[in-house]
Amino acid sequence: GFTLGAGTAILGEKVAMACTVAVEKVIGDHYQEQITLLKDDQKKLKSTIKKFAADELEHHDIGIAHDAKNALGYKFLTKIIEVGCKTAIQISKKL
């Protein structure tokens, strides 16, 4: 995560914001999936995850507001980062 953030920051603010948008989208989607899997007897955990998801959405929106979509290669870059994040999530589920 640090390397990805630092690497994109070296390429400029818009690229760093594009990275933020991609990462936060995947994490937000992951949290949403977890929310739908939780049962009614897990209300406290569900509430906590909803707060985390809202934080991720806020970070995503900050990235958009800071011109992420105008980064050179935005669509390609965000797709690659999203695939990497999804892969990391899948690996962590196996461990």
Side-chain angles (χ1 to χ4, degrees):
F2 174 80
T3 303
L4 180 60
T8 56
I10 289 170
L11 298 174
E13 183 180 348
K14 291 178 186 176
V15 175
M17 290 295 107
C19 176
T20 298
V21 167
V23 170
E24 303 302 352
K25 178 187 179 304
V26 172
I27 294 171
D29 290 348
H30 178 65
Y31 281 148
Q32 198 57 47
E33 179 184 326
Q34 291 178 331
I35 290 166
T36 61
L37 293 173
L38 292 172
K39 307 295 182 212
D40 287 338
D41 63 335
Q42 297 169 310
K43 287 181 182 178
K44 186 175 181 183
L45 178 57
K46 198 175 214 179
S47 175
T48 300
I49 294 174
K50 283 181 179 180
K51 289 177 188 174
F52 291 161
D55 285 345
E56 302 308 324
L57 178 59
E58 181 180 359
H59 300 156
H60 172 276
D61 293 348
I62 289 169
I64 296 295
H66 283 89
D67 230 9
K69 289 187 176 182
N70 289 319
L72 184 63
Y74 173 80
K75 287 185 180 183
F76 177 76
L77 177 66
T78 55
K79 185 55 69 181
I80 294 298
I81 293 170
E82 287 176 18
V83 168
C85 290
K86 288 176 184 178
T87 301
I89 289 170
Q90 291 304 315
I91 290 169
S92 70
K93 287 180 179 180
K94 302 287 182 192
L95 301 177

